[in-house]
Amino acid sequence: MRGAAVRIEHLTKIYPDGTRALHDITLNVAPGEFLVIIGLSGSGKSTLMRCINRLIEPTSGKVFVDDVEITALPPEGLRRARRQIGMIFQQFNLVKRASVLTNVLSGRLGYLPPAWALWGYFPRELREEAVRHLQTVGIPEKAHTRADQLSGGQQQRVGIARALMQDPKLILADEPVASLDPATSHSVLKYIEDLNRREGITVLCSLHFLSLARRYGTRVVALKAGQIVFDGLPREIDEHRFKEIYGEEAVEVEIA
Amino acid sequence: MQRHDATSGLPRAPELPRPGLGSLRVLAWILVLGLIYAYGWRVTEINLVELATKWSLARPLLVDLLRPDLVARVPRIQLADAGVGLEGTPPPAPEVRRPAGQVTVTPANAAIGQPVTVSGSGFAPNRPVELIWKDQAGSEAAVGRLTTDAQGAFQTTLRVPDVIGTSNHVIARVTLEGTVLAPSNALRLTFFRMIETVFLALMGTTMAVVFAVPLSFLAAKNLMSRSALSLGVYFVMRTVFNIARSIEPLIMATVFAVWVGIGPFAGVLALGVHSIASLAKLYSEQIESIDPGPIEAITATGASMLQVVRYAVVPQIVPPFIAFTIYRWDINVRMSTVIGFVGGGGLGFLLIQYINLLQWRQAATAVWAITLVVAAMDYLSARVREKVV
Ligand SMILES: Nc1ncnc2c1ncn2[C@@H]1O[C@H](COP(=O)(O)OP(=O)(O)OP(=O)(O)O)[C@@H](O)[C@H]1O
Ligand SMILES: [Mg+2]
């Protein structure tokens, strides 16, 4: 399986209240890259991610995923395009009262006849596939547990399994480990890295810690006030660049 | 207690006490409070002396409350019957299910005014017999009194009374020695009213759910703050609910009892209307507290709008909706026990009648039934809510 290419052209997002969250972003992501997006809080990382699958409508500019112009798609086309773009969230965004298995299966909804899903019917092969994805992220025994009874790290792994259920070419991970402890952060990021390396899924991942960006990213893009201020290899971020991105007073903290 | 400044989060320096002014203010407050309570004492006619000396007046009532009218001693009887056909109609089959003896009427075919012989056998010996003529419309009339002989038989002649219909029965009712315990009339009435009460609450609650579910979406701020128009609808809904909630169900029941007549239907309407408002408010608050995260996540997988509702919205609102509804039903059972006071049917309707007739022991039966129903509902609803949420 090959990952998708992402092309972003002159993307601008101005929120209704006038906040200019993204300003003329142009960015190319090659298939199979692990692109880490860094930047201060409020720099526009989440907005950028959500403009790619149009959870947020961009104000202007174009987004292409594998030469499909996402920004030009009608609602039904957008829905189809979204099926191949997995998304992982900082707050996991699981349906808390539902079982882990149902949460994973819900990743496949876009492919199923609507009537099936309304009755809560998923064919046996799909349920088996869901359990396989849970195996991939190391928690097959939790399939029938309620999602809100899992730890944060386990919930995020369910989030990954849900994205896998989409059979994605591209994964958007918006601060997937920001609410997890260092050790759990690494284990979650390793699962994502695995998908990237083994299956070639393109990953766009925003992170707060530079050390994590260095460890996992094949390329790093830094945002500042809605603009790209750095685009290069992780090891190119030195003291000087760091201060450019995070400001003069910032001091780098390491995460184990 | 430590007070914190909201902006800095630091404890604020304690204010220095100002002894002179402070105590004066306290004194003024004490004076005002004293006046308020003095007036309250008078206006509510509190009289502790009466409370202490006249307790004996309430004593029979309280004693009766502890002896509810549950069972009655009724005479033991034996029953049997025979059919009589008038004007050429064949006599109908006997209708007493397990007859204690045998009754025959000769001739079994007769005309009004004609003498017939009624004889019976197989009853208890030397006991009083009452003969009852039951016509086709079911009305009964006593047509003779006699006594069984030493063999438990009897015979008499009577004239066919002037009845309407052709299909008649002659029933023999033999009274035995001694009595048996049976549920009292009050207990039987209470039992049926109790069932009525539970269903009254059920119907009222169901009616409320049917209206409150759709209306609650119009009263949820997160859904309705998209445009000025929808925001207007939101405020109107909220206002209507708040007003409707503040009208006591008892007052509504009074209005509805005039409208649709005294009875359980008036109670259903009163509880229903009141519950629409309170359920819609609870529901809409639940809708407002929906976590947008799962909605975003399921949308991002390429699911359709309907699927998003089914997988991200429904699991967040349905269990709490069920819990609120059961809670409301519980409250409505409570209310439906008193709504009868103003003509809304149910146990209260029975209770107020017994109270007005000063039948305290019968009233006690109703009171205990209310306690039982309320406690049972309370327990059940707690159990179910525990399961759902
Ligand atoms: N719905 C919104 N309406 C108005 N302004 C918004 C909205 N969402 C975000 N913003 C603003 O847009 C800017 C970028 O926000 P965004 O959430 O993309 O930043 P971020 O880099 O993801 O920050 P963080 O690291 O805190 O998640 C911020 O100034 C934010 O206040
Ligand atoms: Mg963000």
Side-chain angles (χ1 to χ4, degrees):
Chain A
M1 196 185 122
R2 291 291 297 170
V6 181
R7 210 162 81 236
I8 297 170
E9 292 176 358
H10 305 293
L11 190 72
T12 294
K13 173 65 189 178
I14 303 169
Y15 281 107
D17 66 354
T19 311
R20 188 177 278 268
L22 293 177
H23 184 69
D24 196 26
I25 300 277
T26 296
L27 180 67
N28 275 311
V29 187
E33 271 193 284
F34 195 123
L35 178 80
V36 173
I37 303 172
I38 57 171
L40 279 177
S41 184
S43 57
K45 304 183 295 292
S46 298
T47 307
L48 177 61
M49 294 262 181
R50 283 172 172 71
C51 280
I52 293 172
N53 62 3
R54 277 172 61 193
L55 283 179
I56 292 176
E57 284 296 335
T59 309
S60 66
K62 292 176 180 176
V63 173
F64 295 86
V65 172
D66 268 350
D67 295 323
V68 175
E69 189 185 343
I70 302 288
T71 37
L73 289 173
E76 185 55 26
L78 175 62
R79 202 178 66 69
R80 285 170 186 281
R82 277 176 178 162
R83 299 190 303 198
Q84 299 194 316
I85 307 174
M87 195 159 192
I88 297 167
F89 303 83
Q90 177 183 350
Q91 297 305 334
F92 325 130
N93 290 357
L94 301 183
V95 179
K96 296 196 172 59
R97 281 204 182 87
S99 72
V100 165
L101 193 68
T102 307
N103 269 286
V104 176
L105 284 166
S106 68
R108 197 56 156 266
L109 287 171
Y111 294 91
L112 299 178
W116 286 14
L118 289 185
W119 282 110
Y121 169 73
F122 293 96
R124 191 191 168 83
E125 313 90 74
L126 281 191
R127 281 182 282 138
E128 281 167 0
E129 188 185 330
V131 173
R132 271 204 306 284
H133 291 314
L134 283 174
Q135 241 149 16
T136 308
V137 295
I139 43 169
E141 76 283 359
K142 298 288 183 190
H144 298 287
T145 311
R146 252 171 71 143
D148 56 3
Q149 285 171 359
L150 300 186
S151 70
Q154 289 170 332
Q155 289 194 38
Q156 193 58 295
R157 291 194 237 173
V158 176
I160 295 172
R162 176 172 63 190
L164 284 181
M165 204 66 199
Q166 289 176 248
D167 198 6
K169 294 181 185 169
L170 169 66
I171 285 183
L172 306 172
D174 188 12
E175 289 178 30
V177 296
S179 32
L180 302 177
D181 63 69
T184 317
S185 294
H186 274 296
S187 83
V188 165
L189 283 172
K190 273 181 188 143
Y191 286 119
I192 299 178
E193 185 183 42
D194 244 32
L195 301 173
N196 173 256
R197 294 236 176 115
R198 264 200 233 137
E199 319 218 7
I201 301 173
T202 311
V203 174
L204 267 71
C205 176
S206 63
L207 290 173
H208 260 317
F209 286 97
L210 205 50
S211 56
L212 290 179
R214 286 204 183 96
R215 160 73 182 73
Y216 293 97
T218 57
R219 179 181 162 200
V220 175
V221 162
L223 288 181
K224 189 176 184 180
Q227 287 178 299
I228 295 181
V229 293
F230 173 84
D231 184 349
L233 296 178
R235 59 182 153 76
E236 290 171 356
I237 304 175
D238 52 20
E239 181 91 359
H240 173 68
R241 286 258 157 71
F242 179 80
K243 295 231 188 272
E244 243 174 44
I245 299 165
Y246 288 105
E248 287 301 324
E249 300 94 76
V251 187
E252 193 180 343
V253 282
E254 284 288 320
I255 180 166
Chain B
M1 213 169 61
Q2 188 91 278
R3 275 201 294 177
H4 287 266
D5 194 332
T7 47
S8 69
L10 293 171
R12 201 193 261 171
E15 279 172 28
L16 286 178
R18 287 172 296 175
L21 213 92
S23 54
L24 211 73
R25 221 167 34 202
V26 169
L27 219 71
W29 272 115
I30 289 176
L31 204 72
V32 169
L33 276 180
L35 281 174
I36 289 174
Y37 280 105
Y39 184 72
W41 189 278
R42 266 191 51 198
V43 89
T44 56
E45 297 172 19
I46 290 176
N47 188 341
L48 293 183
V49 177
E50 210 153 85
L51 186 70
T53 54
K54 297 203 178 159
W55 72 276
S56 57
L57 288 182
R59 196 174 146 187
L61 201 153
L62 290 177
V63 168
D64 278 352
L65 214 54
L66 293 177
R67 320 183 292 147
D69 177 18
L70 299 179
V71 288
R73 296 211 155 266
V74 291
R76 295 193 300 141
I77 52 165
Q78 290 183 325
L79 281 180
D81 73 326
V84 186
L86 300 189
E87 288 155 31
T89 320
E95 50 177 31
V96 170
R97 256 177 288 146
R98 267 170 287 128
Q102 208 185 2
V103 180
T104 46
V105 180
T106 39
N109 233 297
I112 290 170
Q114 184 188 331
V116 290
T117 305
V118 180
S119 53
S121 61
F123 295 98
N126 305 318
R127 297 303 306 169
V129 187
E130 192 181 9
L131 290 179
I132 296 158
W133 191 283
K134 186 177 169 198
D135 70 12
Q136 196 162 353
S139 55
E140 298 180 356
V143 285
R145 270 174 197 287
L146 52 159
T147 308
T148 54
D149 61 18
Q151 279 73 45
F154 65 84
Q155 181 161 21
T156 183
T157 304
L158 51 87
R159 285 182 187 283
V160 176
D162 190 3
V163 292
I164 304 166
T166 51
S167 211
N168 294 259
H169 292 271
V170 175
I171 304 167
R173 217 178 108 104
V174 179
T175 309
L176 301 183
E177 230 168 336
T179 53
V180 284
L181 278 183
S184 72
N185 209 23
L187 184 64
R188 261 184 293 144
L189 282 175
T190 299
F191 179 75
F192 289 117
R193 290 292 181 173
M194 195 157 106
I195 290 171
E196 186 179 291
T197 295
V198 173
F199 276 89
L200 197 162
L202 177 70
M203 298 314 278
T205 311
T206 309
M207 172 185 146
V209 171
V210 168
F211 287 96
V213 167
L215 290 179
S216 63
F217 287 85
L218 299 179
K221 196 164 192 179
N222 54 341
L223 302 180
M224 300 301 285
S225 51
R226 304 241 164 100
S227 71
L229 177 74
S230 61
L231 205 62
V233 172
Y234 161 80
F235 279 115
V236 170
M237 294 314 292
R238 277 278 147 128
T239 313
V240 169
F241 290 157
N242 282 337
I243 293 173
R245 246 162 15 101
S246 63
I247 303 175
E248 275 298 311
L250 282 182
I251 293 170
M252 289 199 190
T254 314
V255 174
F256 281 119
V258 173
W259 188 340
V260 300
I262 287 176
F265 184 43
V268 169
L269 288 172
L271 290 182
V273 172
H274 183 78
S275 305
I276 289 174
S278 52
L279 274 183
K281 183 158 188 289
L282 287 174
Y283 290 169
S284 61
E285 274 162 9
Q286 193 59 39
I287 296 170
E288 281 169 1
S289 70
I290 284 182
D291 174 9
I295 298 175
E296 192 179 33
I298 307 275
T299 308
T301 65
S304 68
M305 182 77 161
L306 218 59
Q307 289 172 324
V308 172
V309 170
R310 164 70 177 79
Y311 282 88
V313 180
V314 167
Q316 291 195 61
I317 60 173
V318 168
F321 272 29
I322 292 175
F324 288 141
T325 307
I326 290 170
Y327 172 61
R328 191 70 228 171
W329 184 22
D330 182 6
I331 294 178
N332 280 346
V333 167
R334 241 165 251 259
M335 284 195 170
S336 63
T337 57
V338 292
I339 212 153
F341 286 8
V342 293
L347 273 170
F349 189 59
L350 193 66
L351 178 58
I352 198 76
Q353 282 174 341
Y354 285 140
I355 290 176
N356 288 341
L357 296 170
L358 306 182
Q359 293 185 334
W360 299 116
R361 290 196 56 201
Q362 284 73 11
T365 311
V367 168
W368 283 106
I370 289 174
T371 313
L372 191 79
V373 171
V374 169
M377 253 332 271
D378 204 39
Y379 173 76
L380 264 176
S381 90
R383 286 294 299 274
V384 176
R385 273 184 289 154
E386 217 168 78
K387 277 238 156 99
V388 179
V389 183

